[in-house]
Amino acid sequence: MFPDDKTCLLNAMGTVRNVEGDFPQGGGEAAALMRSLDWSATSLGPIADWPAHLKSAVSLMLPAKAQIVLFWGPEFVALYNDAYAPTIGQKHPTALGRPARENWAELWDDLEPLLTRVLDTGETVFAKDRPFYIERHGYPETVYFDISYSPIQDEFGGIGGVLCIVSETTERVVAQERQRLLAREANHRVKNMFAVFHGIINLSARSARTPQEMAQSLRGRLNALMQAKDLIRPGIMGTEAHGERTTVGDVVQTVLRPYEDDASRERIVLRGPNVPVGAMAVTSLALALHETTTNAAKYGALSEPTGSVSITWETHGGDFHLEWEETGGPVIVAPPSAKGFGSVLAERSIADQLGGKVEHDWLPSGLRLRVSVPLDRLAV
């Protein structure tokens, strides 16, 4: 009368119900998706034909609060729970029930050897804060996970799949890296502070006629220096800068004001249109300008009484362009043999934070520096 009781049963209402449609039991989005999928179209075949080891692993995995993905069979078909789904972003739910290579293509050269190692050796692979390159939100990023990849037996006693228990640690790793960068930045600032103060004192002494004038000029320059540092500090600390939008001219003037020479205002020339700078971008731009200005005061045009700096900027198409040109300073015989931390930090601010680029041209007459940034990134 009825089909084999392996696939059907009689419920309380006396109607026929498919047992395969009841597995996996329990709530949750991942479980519901598994019940709705046509598994006969996959390499795993109908759920009714799944080995007991696979069903047991799935039953244990789905209700777990840990982030778990199970890769089964030679194609590493992906099965995972609700806790894991957010870690793959837009790959969910497409990745469920599909070979891993289809949806983890960008990191397959990294992931496949790990899975194959477990499948071939039966050993567990464990690592903390392991980096993975992934495209899960429409853009590439490096993320970090604590991982434990363990073998799951099949019905023949071999290794049928790999159970991956993971915990994303990206937020912590990035925070730790920010703290390391902050510590290096603080050490860099301390080393530079005396050199900067020395340069400012020399500027004030050259233009002052009396001790009172020098004291007044020095106080003004030190106050301006602190204002410039206030532009930079929020970005380094990982907080927002100013609630009000400023312009490129405001940033440049604030950073360069401590180095103005009262006896010769023309030694610092600024020229450009009003270009808005967003609250997040202002810190990156100010940091890059501050590092360049500091180097000019220590080694370049601003270290000599006759030296001058010209900063011009413009917009063209969808990009912002700034050019920094030094003249009248020490003659440059050759480019620096290595970049200091300050220069690396400045370039990283423009490239990593603003998606721009920095170009150096070490002319005998002085440094010529060009900065390019997409306008949409500058406005953030």
Side-chain angles (χ1 to χ4, degrees), residues 178-179 182 232-239:
R178 183 180 293 124
Q179 289 298 319
L182 179 60
I232 300 168
R233 183 165 53 243
I236 298 174
M237 297 301 292
T239 59

Side-chain angles (χ1 to χ4, degrees), residues 8 18 73 191 221 230 291 301 309 357:
C8 301
N18 194 303
K191 290 181 178 179
R221 289 192 169 107
D230 284 340
E291 289 296 334
V309 176
K357 61 180 180 179

